[in-house]
Amino acid sequence: MGEPDIAPEGKVDALVIGGGLIGCAAAWHLGRAGASVLLLEAGDLNRGASGQNAGSLHFQIERRFLENGEALAEQAARVVALNNLAIEDWRGLEDALDRDLHIHMSGGLMVAETAEQARLLEAKAAREQSYGLSTRLVDGDEARSIAPYLSDAVLAASHAPDEGHADPRSLTPAFAEAAAAAGAAIALRASVTAIEPRAGGFDIDYEQGGRGHRVRTDRMLVAAGVWTPEICRLANLHMPLFPVALQMNVSERAAPFMPHLIQHVGARLSMKQAHAGNVLVGGGWPSRLRRRDGSFDLAARPDLRPENLAPNLAVAARLVPELAELNLIRTWTGKTAVSADQLPIAGEVPSMPGFWVAGGGSAFTLGPTLARLVAEEMGGERQDALQVVSPARFEHLNSFMG
Amino acid sequence: MAEAHEMDVAIVGGGPAGLNAALVLAGAGASVSVIDEQARPGGQILRQPPTGFAVTDWLTGRPYTGLKRDLAAFEDSGATWRGGRSVLSIQRAPEGARREDSGGAGAFDLVTAGGEGAATYRARHVLVAGGCQDLAVPFPGWTLPGAMTVGGLQAFVKSQRIVPGGPVLLAGTHPLMLVLAEQLLEAGARIAGVVFAQGRARFAGRLGRGLLGAASGAGNLLAGAEAMARLVRSGVDVRFGDPLTGLLGRDRVEAARFASGEVVPCGLVGTGYGFVPQAELVRQAGANVRPAGRAGGWAAAVDSGFRTSVPGLYAAGETVGVAGAEAARLRGRIAGGVIADALGRRPVGDMAKARSDLAKVERFADLLDRIADPRPYFPALPAETFACRCEDVSAGEIENAIAAGAGTADAVKLRTRCGMGVCQGRNCEPTLLRLLAAEGCKDDPGFGARFPARPVRIGDLID
Amino acid sequence: MRIGQEEERGPRISLVVDGRDVACHAGESIAAVLLEAGVTHFRTSRTGTPRAPWCNMGTCGECYVRIDGRRRRACLVAAQRGMEVVTDG
């Protein structure tokens, strides 16, 4: 994948910025729909949150949406409709891409350890059911019969049969290869330096191999993760996505014993056993973004916060005592982008027709679906399912941008 | 995690550098702890037999006498020995925890794990003297039981007092093979051969020129020449100019094959292609490293006072570049003096002499390094041979990933799992960087720094 | 082969290795004890190949075995009376 194969006049039907999950998947969908596509990636493929996340496929309403009041919980519940699409997409991905992506969807349990947490689970399940997601409340004993490795600390759980995990290292490269096979050009180490809106499209300048290039496109998608706001600024747009730094722990390999995704309704915890046998333990524990020159240094790896290790691992081992005997071999830090209301942002920017954006929260679980829907919109088919995550809800910010 | 233990200086590594720094600092009245993974002090060079062993004539050779003196002095020095503990990370302590009287440097938190669980040490200054490890060189058969590094094999002989199999074959480029062969011979082992990849002229010629130029190393060189003569007299097959190409065997090593076509039956193999610094803690703490030299790997970048780029963090011994035990002793002594100064204390000992001695010893080390240069002799790596022995990632998989556009160590890791196993890339990184360089991806910074520096039982972190 | 039979080692003890009694000396590393007892297969790699101590200094992880239920590096653990060692665990 070196020099992109662009038509002599330097024009493509669709241009994608960002070689992560969403960008590569969208390039694939656009390409196989017959569009000429150029994908620009400033570094290497899959190097941001797409490759650094822990690979959870989580469809229940997350704890982070439950602890910040009714309005947010209700909004999150509306995203659940997208989750149902995502479940279908994930079930078909290995066939569609014709390769093993280590997708395991053998169910997930969100557990409660106290009566109060159990009540929170009940309210959550009711909300989910009203939006058509099937979760089932079980008591501790039934949770242990589903997942015998769980300890007596588990009082209740909600069970979602489609949850699970997939391999973040395999997925994006698979999308990229499929995209290339569908005719998309992928340019690595190609940094966008300018975006010039013009009648019916955009002129985009980028640098690759020390040389400047210009390409013209009708429609463009920015799916650059934590760099999305920076790219949007090149088009004179505000995009309220904020970088956050997380840390995740990985154990040595163990024989398969934990086929489910385990989350906690009252504590930051997400844990699963990856296909290679390593147990991954995370759940939103922060690491720390490096700062430089008065801003966050997005190029640097965030700093570990050692004080967050013990609490994260302690809750994990309290639920799954076997974990205590495994060795921790790595704690890694990574960055992801979270929107101002924590829900994903995906869709066309109303004040800039032809300009789509996608990212910002749960973008692994929802990524393949957001990419598909956005690509279909870029192909001219309005997608109602995207309304709940449309950037239109932040359009007030751009009403001041002249 | 337990409450922090506080001290003026934490020294990571109880080898020649760490012990000498501790001696200087304890002598100057500073509170010093030496933390090491091994149960007993001495480092790899002086891997001591376990408590309860009484080994007569333990390491009687000339190079060991000064080190053994250090060890005895350390026992009486007042420095605290914290053996059997792995340091998992070194980080700057939170702002509020830093003390004003630390000579301009920051305080550090060291997260450690060992027999009794996790502990955090807080120190005003930290010296990393983490030693070195054998350069991991892959070749067909290198993962078979019975194949070891010369350093690993030597530790069995020196410390455990066993020869774990035989007949023993030593192959590679490093002169340490001669020292080990003699130790094996003394131990009564059967030696199948000592085979250097480089030609005799390259080896002896450099030795001869070195003898003229490096007076202070002459003693060591003569010892090496004497060792070779003794080995030959004892009927040991010492050969030159025949690079190892692979090991044969089903479930364990049965024979070694050489470029000449010769196949030598053996049951235990030590390969020696040189040593690389252990500098991951320095990297993890955010300090600069530099390419370590001919064998590969990374060394801590330090100034003449062994200060890293992070104020208050120092590195000495092999961590700043592999130069042997005598250099490590001197570097440790000098670093100890510099830290004592920073603490406002008076170091004892003649630092000027230590510096001039160090310059001579480092010249000699460079000569050895040139003799041992493994680069022309790395065995060919067929596609099916594992480059990453933790995750069983073959050279072919890595080459495919590079061909598919993975142009950095981290990108290859993400695609292939190379470097994601228990050793966390310590062994495969030099190989991976070589494979990358061969495809035109030169000057890669290697894997990002990571936590923990050593694997740790999860239960030990939360108890 | 233990070197120099006349050397004084730690007190004679015995361990259980994969269900059989193995005599050794207190303080010897578990790696040394296993190798002296003829064990060559400490762990099995991801693709099913046998592995045994390689670096013998705690870095490579090839000597992981289960000692009294815990997975530990055999080269860093000193033998104590009555330890139970399971290879390939």
Side-chain angles (χ1 to χ4, degrees):
Chain A
M1 280 174 274
E3 288 290 301
D5 180 22
I6 307 171
E9 67 273 29
K11 169 142 184 348
V12 293
D13 297 332
L15 183 122
V16 177
I17 299 174
L21 193 171
I22 291 179
C24 292
W28 172 51
H29 288 294
L30 288 162
R32 62 185 190 147
S36 61
V37 184
L38 171 63
L39 185 150
L40 300 176
E41 161 56 50
D44 285 306
L45 295 177
N46 205 30
R47 295 304 306 282
S50 302
Q52 290 169 350
N53 79 91
S56 294
L57 303 181
H58 53 85
F59 302 116
Q60 309 190 42
I61 299 175
E62 293 171 73
R63 196 194 64 92
R64 61 187 173 122
F65 294 117
L66 298 171
E67 63 182 6
N68 289 311
E70 278 292 298
L72 184 58
E74 183 54 30
Q75 220 176 349
R78 289 172 55 213
V79 176
V80 161
L82 276 175
N83 287 356
N84 280 324
L85 297 178
I87 290 169
E88 274 176 53
D89 281 334
W90 279 104
R91 291 230 177 259
L93 269 184
E94 288 186 339
D95 281 344
L97 293 169
D98 193 25
R99 68 163 69 190
D100 186 1
L101 302 170
H102 308 293
I103 298 173
H104 295 268
M105 296 170 76
S106 15
L109 289 158
M110 187 177 286
V111 306
E113 291 184 277
T114 66
E116 194 188 335
Q117 290 170 358
R119 279 192 298 278
L120 202 54
L121 276 186
E122 282 171 31
K124 178 187 77 74
R127 237 190 255 282
E128 285 161 348
Q129 276 151 17
S130 71
Y131 285 95
L133 183 78
S134 62
T135 52
R136 192 167 64 90
L137 286 171
V138 297
D139 64 12
D141 286 340
E142 195 176 348
R144 279 179 289 279
S145 78
I146 296 169
Y149 48 87
L150 288 177
S151 74
D152 290 342
V154 174
L155 187 71
S158 62
H159 179 239
D162 297 297
E163 286 189 329
H165 55 89
D167 180 10
R169 296 180 307 105
S170 307
L171 186 62
T172 302
F175 276 130
E177 279 171 39
I186 296 180
L188 302 180
R189 289 170 280 278
S191 308
V192 176
T193 53
I195 299 173
E196 190 86 22
R198 49 162 192 87
F202 304 88
D203 282 338
I204 287 152
D205 292 344
Y206 65 98
E207 257 177 37
Q208 189 190 30
R211 291 203 350 252
H213 305 261
R214 167 164 289 200
V215 60
R216 177 162 287 195
T217 186
D218 301 334
R219 290 150 290 166
M220 62 178 294
L221 164 65
V222 181
V226 294
W227 285 275
T228 290
E230 229 169 83
I231 304 285
C232 288
R233 273 200 290 276
L234 293 176
N236 197 37
L237 285 175
H238 281 313
M239 199 50 60
L241 287 166
F242 302 91
V244 297
L246 299 175
Q247 61 189 43
M248 282 134 300
N249 307 289
V250 53
S251 81
E252 64 185 311
R253 294 165 183 279
F257 73 100
M258 191 194 294
H260 311 104
L261 173 71
I262 303 296
Q263 298 180 88
H264 200 303
V265 73
R268 295 182 187 206
L269 176 70
S270 170
M271 138 170 84
K272 86 281 298 180
Q273 188 173 19
H275 67 280
N278 313 76
V279 178
L280 309 184
V281 181
W285 289 86
S287 51
R288 188 179 283 118
L289 290 170
R290 287 261 176 95
R291 277 167 292 190
R292 202 174 61 183
D293 304 333
S295 185
F296 295 115
D297 183 356
L298 298 181
R301 187 186 294 256
D303 286 323
L304 180 81
R305 289 179 64 178
E307 70 275 19
N308 285 345
L309 286 168
N312 191 185
L313 294 168
V315 59
R318 198 163 68 224
L319 302 181
V320 181
E322 220 171 313
L323 194 62
E325 288 311 323
L326 295 176
N327 281 300
L328 174 74
I329 61 168
R330 180 169 69 254
T331 300
W332 85 92
T333 62
K335 296 171 293 280
T336 188
V338 171
S339 75
D341 62 4
Q342 296 204 64
L343 299 174
I345 300 179
E348 190 175 15
V349 175
S351 60
M352 194 167 284
F355 190 103
W356 273 263
V357 62
S362 307
F364 187 72
T365 294
L366 290 178
T369 304
L370 296 178
R372 178 174 62 80
L373 295 172
V374 163
E376 284 168 6
E377 270 202 356
M378 291 172 78
E381 300 169 44
R382 203 84 233 155
Q383 300 296 322
D384 290 341
L386 283 180
Q387 257 180 29
V388 59
V389 292
S390 163
R393 68 188 191 276
F394 298 116
E395 197 56 7
H396 52 279
L397 297 172
N398 287 318
S399 67
F400 304 106
M401 302 302 287
Chain B
M1 271 179 252
E3 211 172 290
H5 308 262
E6 300 214 6
M7 61 202 70
D8 289 331
V9 186
I11 297 174
V12 184
L19 293 183
N20 275 281
L23 286 173
V24 171
L25 284 158
S31 64
V32 189
S33 284
V34 182
I35 310 168
D36 196 294
E37 269 191 325
Q38 297 294 329
R40 306 187 64 190
Q44 296 301 327
I45 183 84
L46 285 185
R47 275 281 277 265
Q48 291 197 66
T51 315
F53 280 45
V55 180
T56 43
D57 301 334
W58 177 64
L59 302 183
T60 44
R62 235 175 310 183
Y64 297 112
T65 44
L67 294 169
K68 286 164 81 175
R69 238 185 357 254
D70 298 341
L71 201 54
F74 177 75
E75 305 286 353
D76 302 326
S77 68
T80 306
W81 171 250
R82 298 183 189 270
R85 306 200 69 84
S86 303
V87 176
L88 309 179
S89 73
I90 300 173
Q91 287 219 332
R92 297 294 291 268
E95 293 287 340
R98 289 182 207 160
R99 294 196 350 209
E100 289 309 309
D101 57 347
S102 54
F108 296 88
D109 285 340
L110 288 78
V111 179
T112 73
E116 329 83 64
T120 300
Y121 297 98
R122 177 159 296 162
R124 295 164 66 188
H125 299 265
V126 176
L127 172 66
V128 178
C132 61
Q133 65 176 75
D134 290 80
L135 171 69
V137 175
F139 47 81
W142 74 306
T143 59
L144 285 170
M148 294 190 67
T149 62
V150 289
L153 187 49
Q154 193 186 30
F156 274 133
V157 176
K158 284 200 293 199
S159 163
Q160 294 297 316
R161 309 293 293 144
I162 67 165
V163 179
V168 190
L169 178 94
L170 303 179
T173 59
H174 203 278
L176 176 70
M177 296 198 297
L178 292 172
V179 178
L180 174 57
E182 246 206 324
Q183 289 166 336
L184 284 164
L185 202 62
E186 263 170 50
R190 276 178 56 206
I191 300 181
V194 180
V195 187
F196 285 89
Q198 63 272 50
R200 184 187 291 272
R202 191 182 174 97
F203 195 93
R206 287 224 160 108
L207 268 181
R209 285 198 297 280
L211 270 176
L212 297 174
S216 78
N220 287 327
L221 286 172
L222 283 172
E226 286 163 17
M228 186 138 53
R230 277 194 300 273
L231 288 171
V232 172
R233 272 202 303 280
S234 308
V236 174
D237 185 12
V238 181
R239 266 183 298 156
F240 293 87
D242 202 359
L244 179 72
T245 57
L247 299 179
L248 309 172
R250 239 185 85 75
D251 293 323
R252 52 170 311 152
V253 170
E254 289 163 18
R257 186 165 45 202
F258 291 88
S260 61
E262 189 166 358
V263 173
V264 179
C266 55
L268 182 62
V269 172
T271 53
Y273 291 94
F275 299 87
V276 294
Q278 302 223 51
E280 56 267 310
L281 280 169
V282 172
R283 246 161 128 183
Q284 195 197 56
N288 294 338
V289 295
R290 59 176 180 84
R294 297 177 180 87
W298 305 96
V302 291
D303 66 10
S304 63
F306 297 93
R307 300 172 192 89
T308 70
S309 58
V310 171
L313 182 69
Y314 302 77
E318 313 277 42
T319 296
V320 304
V322 175
E326 190 55 29
R329 294 178 72 206
L330 295 164
R331 289 166 173 175
R333 207 172 291 164
I334 297 164
V338 171
I339 299 170
D341 262 346
L343 288 165
R345 295 176 182 276
R346 259 185 95 79
V348 289
D350 185 346
M351 293 297 159
K353 178 166 186 333
R355 282 186 187 280
S356 74
D357 288 351
L358 178 61
K360 284 181 216 150
V361 174
E362 283 179 341
R363 273 201 299 279
F364 169 65
D366 186 61
L367 168 68
L368 258 192
D369 204 48
R370 267 181 283 148
I371 291 170
D373 187 354
R375 287 171 300 183
Y377 309 107
F378 287 130
L381 207 46
E384 67 278 9
T385 299
F386 295 141
C388 165
R389 53 189 294 153
C390 296
E391 292 287 315
D392 287 4
V393 181
S394 68
E397 286 172 76
I398 292 173
E399 280 158 356
N400 289 343
I402 297 171
T408 64
D410 276 336
V412 172
K413 171 180 169 175
L414 208 56
R415 284 215 181 194
T416 64
R417 296 188 66 85
C418 178
M420 289 179 83
V422 163
C423 95
Q424 286 295 289
R426 270 179 285 273
N427 288 318
C428 59
E429 192 188 45
T431 307
L432 175 55
L433 295 184
R434 278 207 307 278
L435 292 172
L436 280 165
E439 297 302 320
C441 308
K442 296 185 195 300
D443 303 321
D444 189 86
F447 297 128
R450 58 192 74 79
F451 175 95
R454 287 284 193 266
V456 53
R457 183 179 160 267
I458 287 174
D460 287 345
L461 278 174
I462 61 185
D463 290 343
Chain C
M1 175 189 85
R2 285 187 170 83
I3 301 165
Q5 292 308 314
E6 72 284 1
E7 283 178 7
E8 188 186 315
R9 292 174 182 260
R12 289 192 165 278
I13 57 170
S14 88
L15 316 180
V16 179
V17 177
D18 294 332
R20 72 185 165 110
D21 288 337
V22 167
C24 65
H25 298 270
E28 291 182 324
S29 77
I30 296 294
V33 172
L34 296 190
L35 288 168
E36 286 299 300
V39 174
T40 57
H41 186 158
F42 280 55
R43 74 170 192 104
T44 303
S45 81
R46 182 179 163 211
T47 60
T49 65
R51 297 294 168 84
W54 182 68
C55 80
N56 194 24
M57 59 180 286
T59 299
C60 73
E62 294 286 26
C63 67
Y64 264 105
V65 292
R66 206 168 272 270
I67 301 172
D68 292 337
R70 295 187 174 180
R71 279 173 49 73
R72 299 178 70 182
R73 285 164 284 172
C75 71
L76 293 181
V77 179
Q80 291 171 27
R81 199 176 299 278
M83 275 179 165
E84 270 193 56
V85 181
V86 179
T87 60
D88 203 18

